[in-house]
Each structure stands twice: as structure tokens, then as C-alpha cells.
């Protein structure tokens, strides 16, 4: 299975996921990104801009998700801009 890294970008820089996770396909990557973003928002106390950046094993960014959108109750399925961004990256 392909390996993906889930990094978090803030105004301070990129906080890299050094372990990664094996996922079978992009649908699983999108699902994991949404779950990870929700978990991060529940645990983090951060008022700045946060973005989840998913990178594949070759170093290519395959998904970018604005975490703040989720803090307002939006989801990729309910908010057109997020849905369009996620759909474009499969």
C-alpha cells in the first residue's frame, strides 16, 4: 500500500508527519484527512491559519485541506469549495 504523510502547516511553518500511514487509495486518504483534521482541531489551541497537507512517498502533495473550515462545522461534503478541492485531487 502507498505511504502518505499528514503534515500541518501554520504561520510558523510546516510540522511534518515523520511516520506516515499506509492507505490503499485516494478515497481512504481523503477520509483520513478529514478525520485527522477534526482530531487536530479538537486537541489544538491555535488561532492562526492551519492547513493539512498530505504528501505521498515521492514527496508530491496530493491533498490540501484548510483545517479552519472544519472548525465551523463545514465538511468536504457540505461545503462546495472543499468538495471541489478534494474531488480535483483524486
Amino acid at each position: 500500500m502507498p505511504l502518505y504523510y499528514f503534515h500541518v502547516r501554520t504561520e510558523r511553518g510546516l510540522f511534518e508527519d515523520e511516520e506516515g500511514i499506509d492507505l490503499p487509495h485516494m478515497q481512504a486518504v481523503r477520509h483520513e484527512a478529514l478525520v485527522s483534521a477534526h482530531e487536530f482541531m479538537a486537541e489544538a489551541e491555535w488561532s492562526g491559519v492551519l492547513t493539512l497537507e498530505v504528501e505521498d512517498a515521492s514527496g508530491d502533495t496530493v491533498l490540501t485541506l484548510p483545517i479552519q473550515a472544519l472548525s465551523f462545522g463545514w465538511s468536504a461534503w457540505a461545503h462546495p469549495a472543499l468538495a471541489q478541492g478534494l474531488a480535483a485531487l483524486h
Side-chain angles (χ1 to χ4, degrees):
M1 271 192 276
L3 184 63
Y4 296 92
Y5 299 92
F6 291 74
H7 310 305
V8 175
R9 184 172 299 280
T10 72
E11 288 114 1
R12 295 183 189 171
L14 186 65
F15 294 88
E16 295 189 39
D17 170 9
E18 295 181 6
E19 295 178 21
I21 184 171
D22 291 315
L23 295 167
H25 44 68
M26 280 305 297
Q27 182 178 0
V29 171
R30 289 189 295 269
H31 174 76
E32 184 65 29
L34 289 171
V35 169
S36 296
H38 278 289
E39 289 174 354
F40 188 85
M41 285 305 299
E43 296 172 6
E45 293 184 20
W46 190 269
S47 60
V49 175
L50 299 170
T51 304
L52 183 67
E53 297 180 5
V54 182
E55 183 179 284
D56 64 15
S58 65
D60 294 327
T61 300
V62 297
L63 181 78
T64 301
L65 179 65
I67 295 175
Q68 274 80 6
L70 301 175
S71 69
F72 293 109
W74 298 350
S75 75
W77 321 123
H79 190 270
L82 288 177
Q84 182 180 16
L86 289 174
L89 293 169
H90 61 277

